[in-house]
Amino acid sequence: MKDNNLILEISDVGYRAGEKTILNHVSMNVSPGEFRLITGPSGCGKSTLLKIIASLLSPTHGRILFKGKDIATLSPEAYRQQVSWCVQTPSLFGDTVYDNLIFPWQIRHKNPEPEAFIADLERFGLSPDTLTKSVSELSGGEKQRVSLMRYLQFLPDVLLLDEVTSALDERNKQNVNDIIHRYAKEHNVAVLWVTHDADEIKHADEVLLLQPQPGEGQETYHG
Ligand SMILES: Nc1ncnc2c1ncn2[C@@H]1O[C@H](COP(=O)(O)OP(=O)(O)OP(=O)(O)O)[C@@H](O)[C@H]1O
Ligand SMILES: [Mg+2]
């Protein structure tokens, strides 16, 4: 029976680059608010899969439906406001952290509340004076958190997170994990979280384990 409540339906997705098969037979259904973990050895195609779901790459096989519509037929701009993709090595722009946080507001022609930025910084374990810091002064872990904050200014329906805590120490990793779990639950945001971290994997309800190709395709197991 068709489940009309699904936010993403990933059906038999494959990706080949030239002669090389990177992904094969990936299928997964995601409901609003669901927290999914994607793992597997380095080079097995995790980032490629997220890029395909973010509509930055077209699959060479299969299709992806977002709210029942093939993402290939949707406007990339509208889709990317609803499905946000956050990478391991974030690219910050402009001069300061403020320039980055204000950006999602500018593209929506809205005025931000600077106090909210300060509260967000504190929640992510960053001091208020981070707001005016130059992005070139930030550590890798600080950049990761500012980048995540930028994506969380306006909550999407789906968050695609690619190793977003890889540069963080244990305490900050746990904090970011808690924040994302809370946001997902409170605002019904579906999260697809790519990680190598065994602790993060332990806490997931369901894990998609990608196998290196050539292989028999991917398997899903319940944690
Ligand atoms: N455009 C491309 N052309 C050819 N090969 C590619 C292309 N993009 C990725 N690959 C290869 O596809 C494989 C999967 O890459 P991907 O970045 O998705 O892996 P990953 O699972 O995210 O790895 P890691 O855990 O190291 O981040 C790698 O072998 C990579 O070299
Ligand atoms: Mg990767």
Side-chain angles (χ1 to χ4, degrees):
M1 198 177 79
K2 191 153 169 59
D3 183 349
N4 291 321
N5 199 25
L6 294 170
I7 191 139
L8 278 177
E9 293 165 74
I10 298 163
S11 309
D12 200 16
V13 161
Y15 186 74
R16 289 176 69 84
E19 289 300 295
K20 189 173 153 77
T21 299
I22 296 171
L23 292 169
N24 213 3
H25 304 311
V26 181
S27 296
M28 165 167 68
N29 287 336
V30 184
S31 303
E34 224 181 327
F35 194 99
R36 288 296 187 96
L37 221 128
I38 300 168
T39 192
S42 181
C44 70
K46 304 180 296 295
S47 297
T48 305
L49 177 61
L50 278 202
K51 269 187 225 165
I52 290 172
I53 300 171
S55 175
L56 295 158
L57 267 184
S58 300
T60 49
H61 193 272
R63 63 175 192 169
I64 297 179
L65 304 185
F66 174 70
K67 296 182 180 172
K69 293 201 177 107
D70 191 328
I71 65 171
T73 66
L74 301 175
S75 123
E77 292 74 25
Y79 180 67
R80 285 177 203 148
Q81 286 195 1
Q82 297 170 85
V83 179
S84 283
W85 178 63
C86 195
V87 285
Q88 170 176 356
T89 332
S91 48
L92 300 179
F93 44 71
D95 292 328
T96 66
V97 168
Y98 181 76
D99 294 339
N100 283 273
L101 296 182
I102 201 175
F103 179 72
W105 296 80
Q106 286 170 330
I107 58 172
R108 290 171 176 83
H109 307 290
K110 289 189 172 170
N111 288 322
E113 296 153 22
E115 313 81 59
F117 289 160
I118 303 284
D120 268 359
L121 285 167
E122 287 181 339
R123 207 166 1 185
F124 277 86
L126 297 165
S127 71
D129 64 4
T130 309
L131 194 59
T132 51
K133 264 198 180 167
S134 156
V135 292
S136 61
E137 289 172 49
L138 301 180
S139 72
E142 288 168 345
K143 280 195 185 125
Q144 281 193 331
R145 281 175 283 168
V146 169
S147 166
L148 265 176
M149 281 173 58
R150 190 172 74 204
Y151 285 103
L152 296 175
Q153 295 297 307
F154 293 88
L155 286 171
D157 293 320
V158 180
L159 257 181
L160 306 173
L161 304 176
D162 195 349
E163 312 261 13
V164 290
T165 58
S166 58
L168 301 183
D169 58 42
E170 280 312 313
R171 193 171 53 87
N172 279 303
K173 199 177 269 191
Q174 191 55 53
N175 186 33
V176 167
N177 258 282
D178 291 347
I179 292 172
I180 303 288
H181 269 100
R182 201 167 51 238
Y183 272 52
K185 206 174 228 131
E186 283 174 9
H187 303 278
N188 221 22
V189 177
V191 179
L192 301 187
W193 181 294
V194 166
T195 186
H196 279 114
D197 192 314
D199 274 341
E200 285 175 349
I201 294 165
K202 220 164 50 196
H203 293 117
D205 305 328
E206 197 158 340
V207 179
L208 176 74
L209 176 64
L210 293 183
Q211 308 284 7
Q213 298 301 317
E216 291 298 306
Q218 279 71 32
E219 54 183 282
T220 302
Y221 66 88
H222 297 273

